[in-house]
Amino acid sequence: MRKEDCIFCKIANGEIPSKTLYEDEQFRVILDISPATKGHALILPKEHYANIYELPEEKAVGAILLAKKMMAEMSEKLKADGFNLVQNNGETAGQTVMHFHFHLIPRYQEDGQHIMWKPGTVTQDELEGIKNLITE
Ligand code: AMP
Ligand code: ZN
């Protein structure tokens, strides 16, 4: 299903033009309009899924295989020194477009980007409690 007011549904299905790097029946890969680095790309499913929880398993497999293929090809062509594969779910996590997507972000030495988190601190007891919360 496509969502009427979703910009990524429109881009993925070609209603809004984009710089397309790859397209098949299920996915379109485009260049991000506000790139973090040279070649920053997005993998968009053509069907509308708001986030990873809604994404069916077979599409999740397809998306990760496509990410792997694109990253290898882009890394070679762009002569990237590294790559970040980023995927945000929910506003709090930084998601701004509520249509599932992978960010493929080529990295270059001294590209000035900082796609990291601030390391925190935790005790062994706290870790044990969190582990139990998740696994019990
Ligand atoms: P996120 O914050 O994870 O939801 O990422 C949304 C991404 O979509 C951002 O990196 C935006 O720059 C990008 N973006 C938004 N609108 C467009 C557009 N029309 N074409 C290409 N990329 C877009
Ligand atoms: Zn959509």
Side-chain angles (χ1 to χ4, degrees), residues 35-53:
T37 63
K38 186 177 81 180
H40 181 170
L42 303 171
I43 295 183
L44 312 177
K46 292 189 172 179
E47 300 285 316
H48 182 86
Y49 309 106
N51 49 44
I52 199 162
Y53 314 113

Side-chain angles (χ1 to χ4, degrees), residues 28-41:
R28 184 187 292 266
V29 184
I30 65 164
L31 288 177
D32 195 295
I33 205 165
S34 308
T37 63
K38 186 177 81 180
H40 181 170

Side-chain angles (χ1 to χ4, degrees), residues 7-8 11 16-19 30-36 40-42 44 86-90 93-99 101-103 105:
I7 188 169
F8 279 5
I11 291 174
I16 294 178
S18 62
K19 296 293 180 205
I30 65 164
L31 288 177
D32 195 295
I33 205 165
S34 308
H40 181 170
L42 303 171
L44 312 177
V86 177
Q87 201 273 311
N88 301 323
N89 296 283
Q95 187 178 7
T96 58
V97 181
M98 300 301 157
H99 174 125
H101 52 282
F102 271 138
H103 292 262
I105 307 177

Side-chain angles (χ1 to χ4, degrees), residues 5-84:
D5 58 349
C6 174
I7 188 169
F8 279 5
C9 278
K10 293 193 170 82
I11 291 174
N13 291 284
E15 283 170 50
I16 294 178
S18 62
K19 296 293 180 205
T20 295
L21 305 179
Y22 174 85
E23 183 185 4
D24 62 25
E25 272 187 11
Q26 296 191 3
F27 298 101
R28 184 187 292 266
V29 184
I30 65 164
L31 288 177
D32 195 295
I33 205 165
S34 308
T37 63
K38 186 177 81 180
H40 181 170
L42 303 171
I43 295 183
L44 312 177
K46 292 189 172 179
E47 300 285 316
H48 182 86
Y49 309 106
N51 49 44
I52 199 162
Y53 314 113
E54 288 189 5
L55 191 70
E57 282 189 6
E58 66 278 8
K59 290 269 169 75
V61 171
I64 195 77
L65 291 177
L66 182 54
K68 183 171 155 59
K69 191 175 112 181
M70 292 301 304
M71 286 160 75
E73 193 175 325
M74 291 166 70
S75 189
E76 192 187 323
K77 298 258 175 72
L78 296 169
K79 304 200 184 320
D81 301 308
F83 239 104
N84 290 110

